């Protein structure tokens, strides 16, 4: 992955609002990968995504999207990017067909065949007015618009928020297929960590305007574990590094981010039954990062 | 950019249809005998461009969050603004051209044609500047806030005739004569390029606001 060219790169990007600041965000996404941007509400995910689309102007730092600075080349960047926001805006009194036709005029590589086949696959009526589409249908329609101009990169801001599980799964599977089969790169922001868990290759945690952790997802899940232990089974050097420590009937438990390093020292306790190691999910990691000890 | 023009032109075409028909009917009904009210009404109708297509289009954009939709598409803010300003300019030019031809072939006030021509052209100038200022206001404040501001402005405008009456009570004829003399004396060959420079300058400010 290290040798793969980056389709997206942010270096020390800053943006200040009253009461909130993006504080020197640095991120990179190699071509063909899916990056999940995880963070609680108000962490700065949407601001970061909008900076990539030049919908919000950064104050400092460098941004490259498909090899271009979106601040200087917004039109060219948008031409090569498929964007799906949390809210979908259309001219409500216009039909799906009109909207597709209107949008097509702006893209150099618009592919009507792809658009028509996506509408068919998503079961979206061409004659329906866009205001008559349900939330799920609007997301599907936006996705059809975002995919019909052969984008090199898909930028998705909370695309599955408010969707029912069936449509959520369908959207995620489509994104995964686009990445694996067509080599499309995807950055997806969400506070629903299940979505990221399902499709992302890389994850970045954004908390209070700062990237606090970036990693390959599998590597992250190998390093982060919950350890249950009986009193005295773990050395204080390890106990002191655990987050989210709790006492319960079995003994105590806590989350570690250095399981691979301490793994060998736990073997004896595991054999004796005084230590148990459990997998964590991205939710647990997010909560550990947000709440710490 | 043509897609933006195409999307916005519906209201402008509707406006032209209404204005062209109405002024033609008025010209037939009022004719040369009532040239003054005919020309005055035509000027007012010309000015309705601002509160007609310009405001309707922007209300439509706000209702559907059109600018948020356009923001994700590969189009520059300058292209959107250019399309809107261009449409206003074209509509004003077409309406003025139509009115001048209509009044000319209908022989409306042939003895004071310079005044009729000047009044129609001045109506166009006012219309262009109010449209441009409206776009600046809408891009800065949003349609709803700007509409409230305009309504307040219109209410305040109601006091203008009262002030004029107060200050020129005894010299009203002189004031009217001065205005008419000014209109007759405007050198439009020199004024039109200046008007266009002013209009395009406001357009560039609008682009900066939109960016």
């Amino acid at each position: 992955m290290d040798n793969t060219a980056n389709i997206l790169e942010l270096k020390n990007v800053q943006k200040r609002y009253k009461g909130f600041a993006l504080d020197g965000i640095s991120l990179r996404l190699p071509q063909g990968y899916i990056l999940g941007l995880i963070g609680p509400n108000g962490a700065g995910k949407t601001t970061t995504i909008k900076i990539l689309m030049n919908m919000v102007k950064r104050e400092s730092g460098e941004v490259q999207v498909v090899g271009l600075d979106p601040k200087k080349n917004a039109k060219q960047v948008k031409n090569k990017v498929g964007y799906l926001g949390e809210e979908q805006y259309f001219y409500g009194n216009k039909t799906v067909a009109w909207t597709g036709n209107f949008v097509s005029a702006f893209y150099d590589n618009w592919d009507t065949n792809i658009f028509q086949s996506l509408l068919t696959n998503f079961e979206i009526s061409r004659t329906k007015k866009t205001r008559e589409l349900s939330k799920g249908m609007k997301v599907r329609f936006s996705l059809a618009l975002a995919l019909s101009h052969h984008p090199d990169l898909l930028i998705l801001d909370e695309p599955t928020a408010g969707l029912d599980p069936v449509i959520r799964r369908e959207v995620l599977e489509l994104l995964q297929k686009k990445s694996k089969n067509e080599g499309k790169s995807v950055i997806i922001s969400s506070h629903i960590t299940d979505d990221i868990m399902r499709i992302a290759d890389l994850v970045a945690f954004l908390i209070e305007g700062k990237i606090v952790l970036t990693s390959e997802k599998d590597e992250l899940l190998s390093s982060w574990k919950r350890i249950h232990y009986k009193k005295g089974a773990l050395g204080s050097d390890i106990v002191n590094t655990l987050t989210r420590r709790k006492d319960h009937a079995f003994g105590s438990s806590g989350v570690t981010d250095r399981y691979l390093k301490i793994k060998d020292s736990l073997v004896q306790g595991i054999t004796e039954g005084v230590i148990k190691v459990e997998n964590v999910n991205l939710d647990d990691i997010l909560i550990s990062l947000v709440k710490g000890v | 950019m043509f897609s933006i023009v195409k999307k916005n032109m519906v209201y402008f075409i509707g406006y032209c249809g209404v204005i062209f028909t109405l002024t033609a009917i008025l010209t037939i009904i009022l004719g040369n005998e009532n040239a003054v009210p005919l020309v005055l009404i035509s000027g007012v109708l010309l000015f309705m461009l601002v509160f007609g297509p310009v405001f309707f289009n922007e209300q439509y954009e706000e209702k559907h969050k059109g600018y948020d939709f356009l923001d994700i598409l590969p189009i520059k803010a300058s292209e959107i603004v250019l399309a809107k300003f261009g449409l206003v300019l074209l509509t004003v030019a077409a309406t003025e051209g139509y009115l001048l031809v209509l009044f000319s072939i209908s022989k409306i006030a042939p003895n004071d044609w310079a005044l009729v021509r000047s009044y129609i052209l001045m109506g166009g100038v006012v219309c262009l500047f109010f449209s441009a200022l409206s776009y600046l206001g809408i891009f800065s404040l949003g349609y709803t806030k700007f509409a409230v501001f305009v309504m307040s402005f219109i209410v305040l405008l109601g006091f203008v005739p009262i002030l004029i009456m107060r200050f020129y009570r005894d010299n009203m004829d002189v004031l009217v004569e001065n205005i008419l003399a000014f209109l007759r004396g405007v050198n439009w060959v020199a004024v039109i390029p200046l008007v266009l420079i002013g209009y395009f300058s406001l357009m560039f400010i609008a682009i900066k606001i939109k960016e």
Side-chain angles (χ1 to χ4, degrees), chain A residues 53 55 57 75 78-79 83 89-94 98-99 102-103 105-107, chain B residues 1 3-4 7 60-61 64-66 68-76 79 211:
Chain A
M53 289 294 285
M55 290 152 81
K57 304 272 188 292
K75 188 172 173 176
K78 287 174 186 177
N79 221 332
Y83 172 80
Y89 302 116
F90 304 112
Y91 295 111
N93 63 333
K94 301 293 186 188
W98 183 94
T99 308
F102 178 73
V103 169
F106 297 98
Y107 289 99
Chain B
M1 192 179 77
S3 295
I4 303 287
K7 182 180 72 63
Y60 180 80
E61 295 289 2
H64 297 283
K65 295 193 183 293
D68 291 314
F69 176 47
L70 294 175
D71 212 15
I72 66 170
L73 301 176
I75 180 165
K76 292 178 180 170
E79 292 175 84
E211 281 174 342

Side-chain angles (χ1 to χ4, degrees), chain B residues 151-198:
Chain B
M151 292 309 280
S152 318
F153 179 71
I154 289 171
V155 170
L156 286 174
L157 270 186
F159 292 101
V160 173
I162 299 169
L163 290 173
I164 291 172
M165 293 287 276
R166 188 180 161 86
F167 289 109
Y168 290 94
R169 192 170 29 200
D170 301 328
N171 302 310
M172 195 56 86
D173 289 348
V174 178
L175 176 69
V176 171
E177 268 315 311
N178 284 344
I179 292 171
L180 296 179
F182 166 75
L183 282 173
R184 284 187 193 100
V186 175
N187 178 359
W188 287 102
V189 178
V191 169
I192 287 174
L194 290 176
V195 168
L196 291 177
I197 289 169

Side-chain angles (χ1 to χ4, degrees), chain A residues 53-255:
Chain A
M53 289 294 285
N54 196 44
M55 290 152 81
V56 165
K57 304 272 188 292
R58 67 183 190 268
E59 281 158 16
S60 61
E62 289 173 37
V63 179
Q64 292 273 307
V65 180
V66 292
L68 298 163
D69 182 344
K71 212 170 174 180
K72 293 176 187 157
N73 307 284
K75 188 172 173 176
Q76 292 87 329
V77 165
K78 287 174 186 177
N79 221 332
K80 292 181 175 183
V81 165
Y83 172 80
L84 177 55
E86 188 178 0
E87 295 288 332
Q88 286 76 43
Y89 302 116
F90 304 112
Y91 295 111
N93 63 333
K94 301 293 186 188
T95 62
V96 164
W98 183 94
T99 308
N101 194 37
F102 178 73
V103 169
S104 70
F106 297 98
Y107 289 99
D108 296 339
N109 292 324
W110 184 265
D111 191 328
T112 306
N113 292 333
I114 289 184
F115 179 63
Q116 295 299 343
S117 75
L118 283 168
L119 288 185
T120 306
N121 290 346
F122 289 155
E123 297 172 346
I124 301 170
S125 163
R126 289 157 183 80
T127 54
K128 219 170 194 176
K129 288 190 172 154
T130 57
R131 66 164 173 250
E132 293 165 357
L133 299 174
S134 64
K135 166 82 182 162
M137 279 296 182
K138 276 185 181 164
V139 170
R140 285 166 162 166
F141 182 43
S142 291
L143 208 50
L145 292 171
L147 291 170
S148 296
H149 60 279
H150 300 287
D152 296 332
L153 168 69
L154 286 164
I155 297 180
L156 312 162
D157 185 16
E158 306 265 10
T160 56
L163 294 185
D164 70 53
V166 177
I167 298 175
R168 239 175 81 192
R169 180 70 64 92
E170 186 185 286
V171 167
L172 294 173
E173 281 174 359
L174 178 72
L175 294 175
Q176 204 162 25
K177 209 168 94 185
K178 288 281 166 191
S179 174
K180 300 292 171 255
N181 299 349
E182 297 173 29
K184 305 276 185 208
S185 312
V186 181
I187 176 167
I188 174 170
S189 89
S190 184
H191 63 274
I192 307 170
T193 53
D194 276 356
D195 293 352
I196 308 289
M197 188 87 166
R198 193 174 297 279
I199 65 164
D201 305 303
L202 308 159
V203 285
F205 289 87
L206 181 62
I207 295 167
E208 291 178 356
K210 288 180 187 153
I211 295 284
V212 295
L213 178 64
T214 53
S215 172
E216 285 188 38
K217 183 185 72 186
D218 294 339
E219 197 177 287
L220 188 77
L221 294 173
S222 310
S223 312
W224 284 70
K225 300 284 178 190
R226 174 174 286 110
I227 302 174
H228 298 275
Y229 57 96
K230 286 194 170 161
K231 199 175 179 184
L234 278 184
S236 59
D237 54 329
I238 294 176
V239 171
N240 290 339
T241 62
L242 298 179
T243 56
R244 301 193 67 211
R245 272 181 275 163
K246 280 178 195 163
D247 294 323
H248 45 72
F250 180 79
S252 304
S253 71
V255 175

Side-chain angles (χ1 to χ4, degrees), chain B residues 110-122:
Chain B
N111 300 331
D112 211 350
W113 179 247
L115 178 62
V116 173
R117 189 190 56 195
S118 241
Y119 179 76
I120 297 297
L121 289 175
M122 192 58 84

